[in-house]
Amino acid sequence: MPNKLVISGYGWLAGYLATSVKDEYSLVATSRSEEKVDAIKAQGIEGVQFTLGDPTSVLTKHLSGATFVINIPPGRRSTNLETFTKNMLSLIDDAIAANVSHIVFISTTSVYGDAISNRASDIITENSPTSPETASAHAHVTIENRLLTLSEKVKVSIVRLAGLVGPDRHPAKSLSGRDISAGNKRVNLVHILDVVEALKVIITKPLSNKVFQLCSAAHPKRGDYYVKAAQAFNIPEPTFSDTELAPCGKVINAEKSWKEVGISPTYADPYDMY
C-alpha cells in the first residue's frame, strides 16, 4: 500500500504538489467546493468536501498513519480570525486523536512582520523571533506555537513560505499600472516548483518539530523588480516612489532550510521567475 497523504485545502499550491506526488502516494484532498471536489476526482485523486468548522470525521477517517498537509488560508480580507484559529486548532487535535503520523503546516513568512526597526538585523533566519502584525500572521503564529508543543504526540513540520510565484501566477500582474509607495523595499519571493520539490522531501523524510522557510536567495528592490517584470509580461508598468533610496525591509534568508532539504533552488533569483 502506498504511503498515505492527505491535503486539506486544495488550492493553487496543493494542485502543484498533488500532481507531482499522486503516483507515489495514496492521496486524499479536500475542498469546500463540490465542483472542485469533482475536479479533484477527475484527476484520479480521492476528493472530500470539507469546510473548516464542519465536523471533522469526514476528514479524520483518512488520517490514521497518514501525512497531513494543512494548507487552509484564513482569507486575505479577514480581520477577526478567532473562529478560524479555534477551528484550525480543533482540526489539529482531532487529527492527533485519529493517529495522524505527520503534520505539515503551510505557514507564511509574514509571521516575522515588517517592523524590523527593533531588530538587531534585517536578515531573517528560521531562528528569528516572530513578530506578527496582521490578523492572518497572528493566527499563523498561534497555530505554529500549538503544533510546536506536540512533538511527543506527532511529527510536525512548519513550512513558512515567502510570496509564491509560478508559471501561471506573478504579483506583477496585480500591481500593473498602480502607483505604489516604498519602491526601495526588498522583494521576498519563492517559486512554486522549488516549493514542491522541498515539500516532497519534507513529506518523505519528516524531522519532528522542524521549522523551514523557503525563499529565493536574491532580494531586489521591488521598484526595480516589478517594473522589469511588467516589461517582460508586456503589461502596464507600476509606478513606485522611493526606489532610488537604499534598500530596506526584511531579507528572508532560507539558506539553512534549502540545505536541510538538500535542494539548490532552480529559481534562486526572482529575475528568473518570469
Side-chain angles (χ1 to χ4, degrees), residues 3-240:
N3 293 325
K4 293 193 292 184
L5 179 64
V6 179
I7 305 175
S8 188
Y10 196 85
W12 184 67
L13 168 59
Y16 272 92
L17 176 61
T19 298
S20 183
V21 304
K22 67 179 182 180
D23 294 333
E24 304 169 37
Y25 289 87
S26 174
L27 186 57
V28 178
T30 79
S31 176
R32 295 177 297 175
S33 161
E34 182 177 358
E35 181 180 359
K36 187 68 171 289
V37 169
D38 289 339
I40 292 170
K41 292 178 178 178
Q43 299 174 54
I45 300 168
E46 183 168 357
V48 174
Q49 189 170 2
F50 174 75
T51 298
L52 189 64
D54 287 351
T56 60
S57 57
V58 67
L59 176 56
T60 56
K61 68 181 182 181
H62 298 283
L63 290 179
S64 179
T67 295
F68 185 27
V69 177
I70 303 178
N71 183 38
I72 305 176
R76 294 181 179 179
R77 295 180 177 84
S78 300
T79 56
N80 186 345
L81 295 179
E82 291 182 6
T83 299
F84 168 82
T85 305
K86 178 182 177 182
N87 288 337
M88 285 286 281
L89 297 179
S90 294
L91 175 60
I92 289 166
D93 289 342
D94 291 349
I96 291 172
N99 295 315
V100 69
S101 175
H102 180 201
I103 294 176
V104 180
F105 177 55
I106 305 301
S107 189
T108 168
T109 56
S110 69
V111 298
Y112 298 115
D114 286 317
I116 63 168
S117 57
N118 295 324
R119 303 181 193 273
S121 170
D122 55 4
I123 306 297
I124 305 298
T125 72
E126 296 83 352
N127 296 324
S128 296
T130 58
S131 182
E133 297 172 0
T134 65
S136 173
H138 277 282
H140 279 85
V141 169
T142 298
I143 296 162
E144 285 188 8
N145 287 341
R146 170 67 71 84
L147 285 167
L148 290 172
T149 68
L150 299 174
S151 61
E152 294 183 0
K153 297 181 179 180
V154 66
K155 296 183 181 71
V156 169
S157 301
I158 292 168
V159 186
R160 297 170 178 162
L161 301 181
L164 274 170
V165 174
D168 49 347
R169 176 182 293 186
H170 197 287
K173 296 178 181 179
S174 63
L175 299 177
S176 176
R178 292 172 52 186
D179 292 324
I180 306 170
S181 62
N184 59 327
K185 189 175 180 180
R186 296 179 177 98
V187 167
N188 291 281
L189 297 176
V190 66
H191 199 280
I192 184 72
L193 299 183
D194 288 330
V195 170
V196 167
E197 290 305 307
L199 287 175
K200 287 164 66 176
V201 175
I202 291 166
I203 290 166
T204 304
K205 301 175 182 179
L207 299 171
S208 185
N209 272 34
K210 292 298 297 185
V211 175
F212 302 88
Q213 59 187 30
L214 302 179
C215 186
S216 65
H219 307 272
K221 297 179 187 179
R222 62 180 186 169
D224 292 327
Y225 177 71
Y226 287 118
V227 168
K228 291 181 180 178
Q231 293 169 352
F233 288 124
N234 197 26
I235 57 178
E237 299 170 12
T239 301
F240 285 88

